[in-house]
């Protein structure tokens, strides 16, 4: 419980360390819940290979809860850029997860990444009104879906503000509050209100630093005036998700802007591993002096 509370309080690295120590102490017979929660913690801080190892063990462990396993498989797939695989796992997880907030938020994030995942969107729209009735996360998911629609920013902003007010009033955990701040940051970014976007993003970094895409938003805002700071943000995104193609693309672009050939070559190598023959790889290769 201490490890899980650390994650909810905005310290995913500390939570992971606590869970890893418990896993070590458990020896050859860790409980199923310890396996799945440590796998989640590993994914959140970018330890993807270790997360995959624990998920394989959890799949064979006694006491397995199928929807939780699907949720964590979906989280890992989304981190690794397999959106179709993530969507399939999240559809299965939603069937039996009850009112688990993490599952619903992750499912909405998966759809936001690829709006062609219509089955996932339909399931969310069908289940949220009953399973999350009266909870602030219902508004957060509405906001995510509105933003994904591309033409409903005003509706999304209203939903996120409603959610944030309820979360603050209810003294919700920092990790839950970060979801509302992240949504409001995205809206401010799309409206080109950079000062407000950065203010909300700083709150996200404090309350849930594992939201790696927040660093990418900040880097895009800071890139024109402070490329060194933007570069550091992009590196933070890659640290929390070393399989993020967007993070490595931005690292490469900023390395070229800063005249750092070594770091540009490092980014090209990583993109070549993640997406060989891709447009992103060719884009970075053209930046070589």
């Amino acid at each position: 419980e201490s490890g899980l509370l650390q994650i909810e309080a905005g310290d995913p690295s500390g939570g992971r360390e606590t869970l890893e120590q418990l896993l070590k102490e458990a020896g050859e017979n860790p409980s199923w819940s310890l396996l799945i929660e440590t796998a989640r913690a590993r994914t959140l801080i970018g330890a993807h290979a270790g997360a995959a190892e624990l998920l394989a063990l959890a799949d064979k462990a006694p006491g397995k809860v199928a929807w939780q396993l699907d949720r964590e498989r979906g989280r890992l797939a989304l981190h690794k850029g397999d959106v179709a695989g993530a969507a399939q796992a999240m559809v299965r997880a939603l069937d039996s997860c009850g009112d688990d907030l993490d599952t619903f938020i992750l499912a909405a994030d998966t759809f936001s990444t690829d709006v062609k995942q219509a089955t996932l969107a339909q399931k969310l729209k069908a289940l949220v009104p009953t399973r999350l009735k009266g909870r602030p996360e219902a508004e957060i998911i509405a906001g995510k879906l509105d933003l994904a629609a591309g033409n409903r920013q005003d509706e999304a902003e209203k939903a996120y503000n409603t959610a944030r007010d309820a979360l603050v009033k209810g003294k919700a955990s920092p990790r839950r509050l970060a979801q509302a701040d992240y949504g409001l940051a995205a809206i401010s970014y799309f409206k080109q209100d950079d000062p407000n976007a950065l203010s909300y993003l700083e709150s996200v970094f404090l309350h849930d630093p594992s939201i790696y895409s927040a660093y990418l938003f900040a880097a895009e805002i800071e890139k024109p005036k402070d490329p060194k700071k933007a570069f550091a943000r992009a590196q933070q995104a890659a640290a929390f998700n070393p399989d993020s193609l967007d993070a490595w693309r931005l690292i490469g672009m900023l390395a070229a802007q800063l005249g750092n050939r070594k770091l540009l070559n490092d980014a090209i190598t990583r993109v070549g591993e993640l997406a060989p023959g891709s447009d992103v790889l060719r884009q970075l290769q053209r930046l070589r002096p």
Side-chain angles (χ1 to χ4, degrees), residues 14-273:
R16 185 261 177 111
E17 289 173 5
T18 298
L19 292 167
E20 293 285 3
Q21 182 61 36
L22 290 171
L23 189 64
K24 182 179 179 181
E25 292 172 0
E28 296 181 359
N29 298 300
S31 67
W32 189 87
S33 60
L34 182 56
L35 286 171
I36 203 71
E37 292 298 353
T38 309
R40 177 175 75 121
R42 287 181 179 183
T43 301
L44 289 174
I45 59 92
H48 294 166
E53 290 175 5
L54 291 186
L55 291 178
L57 291 174
D59 191 26
K60 301 173 183 177
K64 178 174 73 173
V65 181
W67 70 262
Q68 275 188 279
L69 184 59
D70 280 325
R71 184 191 69 191
E72 295 313 315
R73 283 173 168 165
R75 190 191 312 276
L76 183 58
L78 187 60
H79 268 233
K80 294 176 72 66
D82 178 11
V83 184
Q88 291 171 5
M90 296 317 300
V91 166
R92 294 193 301 269
L94 284 170
D95 282 336
S96 305
C97 74
D99 62 352
D100 182 67
L101 297 176
D102 213 11
T103 304
F104 277 92
I105 293 293
L106 187 56
D109 285 340
T110 303
F111 174 73
S112 297
T113 305
D114 180 8
V115 296
K116 296 191 293 294
Q117 301 298 331
T119 301
L120 185 56
Q122 290 167 2
K123 180 138 311 207
L124 279 168
K125 290 175 181 177
L127 296 178
V128 167
T130 53
R131 301 255 193 101
L132 300 187
K133 185 177 181 180
R135 305 188 73 173
E137 278 74 13
E139 295 292 340
I140 286 174
I141 291 167
K144 289 178 184 289
L145 297 182
D146 284 335
L147 279 183
N151 60 352
R152 295 176 58 85
Q153 289 184 8
D154 290 340
E155 292 87 345
E157 185 172 22
K158 181 179 178 182
Y160 278 119
N161 276 317
T162 299
R164 193 180 195 284
D165 289 345
L167 289 165
V168 170
K169 183 178 180 180
K171 298 181 180 180
S173 71
R175 188 165 182 258
R176 292 175 66 195
L177 185 61
Q179 285 292 328
D181 285 338
Y182 179 68
L184 291 169
I187 291 167
S188 298
Y189 173 80
F190 293 136
K191 290 185 174 182
Q192 299 183 325
D193 182 357
D194 292 348
N196 262 332
L198 287 172
S199 177
Y200 282 122
L201 288 170
E202 289 293 345
S203 179
V204 174
F205 302 149
L206 176 65
H207 292 137
D208 187 2
S210 71
I211 302 179
Y212 61 89
S213 51
Y215 299 102
L216 299 180
F217 271 125
E220 289 289 355
I221 293 170
E222 292 162 343
K223 182 170 62 174
K225 295 182 179 179
D226 194 344
K228 286 186 178 180
K229 189 172 184 179
F231 182 77
R233 299 283 200 196
Q235 286 184 309
Q236 285 176 295
F240 277 105
N241 184 359
D243 291 323
S244 169
L245 190 61
D246 288 335
W248 286 105
R249 176 189 63 82
L250 195 52
I251 287 172
M253 292 176 64
L254 287 163
Q257 186 176 341
L258 294 167
N260 193 320
R261 182 180 299 182
K262 179 185 181 304
L263 292 176
L264 171 59
N265 285 334
D266 289 347
I268 289 171
T269 298
R270 186 61 180 138
V271 170
E273 294 168 350

